[in-house]
Amino acid sequence: MRFLIVLAHPLAGSFASSVATAATAALQKNGHSVDLLDLYGEDFDPCLSETERRGYFDVPYDASGVDDIVARLKAADGLILVFPQWWFNFPAILKGFFDRVFAPGIAFDHEQAGGRIIPRLTNIKLFWALTTTGSPWWVVKLYMGDPVRRLLKRGIAAFCSRDVQFRMISLHDMDRATSKQRTAHLAKIEKAIARI
């Protein structure tokens, strides 16, 4: 399989970067090919332009501002997002990636009668999120209702690709995680990827 790994963290030496490196190595060890898209490293502009928004319902939608990333997404069989959760949400650059790249004619089509959208990312068979949170698991899951997981699974994955295999692996309480816990988390990711 061919995987697109999307990394969304501004620091080159971050734990998210270590996660992306571990995921890449584990996938390649299993014979998969990997395309790493480092949103900060590639200077991705997350701002949906006025032109992009005005043309959102145009057929065809003009995605020329992100053509090369769209081509990389369409060439993938699997998508793995690597990012921290900040304020129980995506980093702004990742939200901008969804706004600009998961657009009409690319990730979905608008149904002509209106109302619902039709998935277009039929090439994506596996959609994983490898993430961290600063809060303990019970705050994320019980108090906040796991908003990022809901958005990814029920919204983005379900609306863009039918019968996609979704999985989210999170290291909670990242701000207090020890070196041993971080190492164990990387091993957990490598073990999960070995089953792909």
Side-chain angles (χ1 to χ4, degrees):
M1 289 178 72
R2 180 176 175 80
F3 285 86
L4 178 63
I5 295 181
V6 179
L7 172 61
H9 198 291
L11 303 178
S14 67
F15 184 67
S17 181
S18 297
V19 169
T21 299
T24 297
L27 286 166
Q28 289 173 336
K29 183 178 178 183
N30 284 353
H32 302 293
S33 63
V34 177
D35 177 7
L36 176 61
L37 170 56
D38 179 344
L39 294 175
Y40 283 95
E42 295 191 27
D43 202 24
F44 175 74
D45 181 358
C47 295
L48 187 72
S49 70
E50 179 182 346
T51 302
E52 288 168 331
R53 182 57 201 153
R54 285 193 187 282
Y56 206 74
F57 292 94
D58 291 351
V59 178
Y61 173 77
D62 181 8
S64 59
V66 289
D67 270 349
D68 82 317
I69 295 177
V70 168
R72 292 163 75 175
L73 178 63
K74 287 184 174 184
D77 305 302
L79 177 63
I80 298 178
L81 307 174
V82 181
F83 62 96
Q85 294 181 44
W86 292 333
W87 290 106
F88 307 100
N89 211 325
F90 307 112
I93 201 166
L94 184 58
K95 177 62 169 71
F97 171 79
F98 295 134
D99 289 347
R100 295 191 68 210
V101 179
F102 279 55
I106 299 164
F108 64 91
D109 283 325
H110 293 108
E111 186 181 50
Q112 293 298 336
R116 68 182 196 110
I117 59 177
I118 302 162
R120 281 190 56 116
L121 285 179
T122 55
N123 55 301
I124 301 295
K125 306 299 182 203
L126 180 143
F127 187 149
W128 283 19
L130 308 177
T131 184
T132 58
T133 70
S135 299
W137 71 268
W138 64 269
V139 172
V140 174
K141 291 184 182 290
L142 303 178
Y143 182 71
M144 293 301 296
D146 217 352
V148 169
R149 178 182 180 81
R150 272 197 337 268
L151 284 169
L152 285 173
K153 184 176 183 180
R154 295 182 190 172
I156 296 168
F159 288 151
C160 297
S161 182
R162 285 196 174 98
D163 301 321
V164 68
Q165 180 203 28
F166 177 83
R167 183 165 184 190
M168 188 160 145
I169 303 174
S170 302
L171 175 60
H172 298 287
D173 214 3
M174 175 65 186
D175 299 339
R176 288 178 287 279
T178 64
S179 177
K180 184 177 178 180
Q181 288 170 317
R182 292 178 188 195
T183 299
H185 186 71
L186 292 175
K188 178 180 179 180
I189 289 168
E190 290 166 353
K191 186 176 179 181
I193 287 174
R195 295 192 202 109
I196 295 174

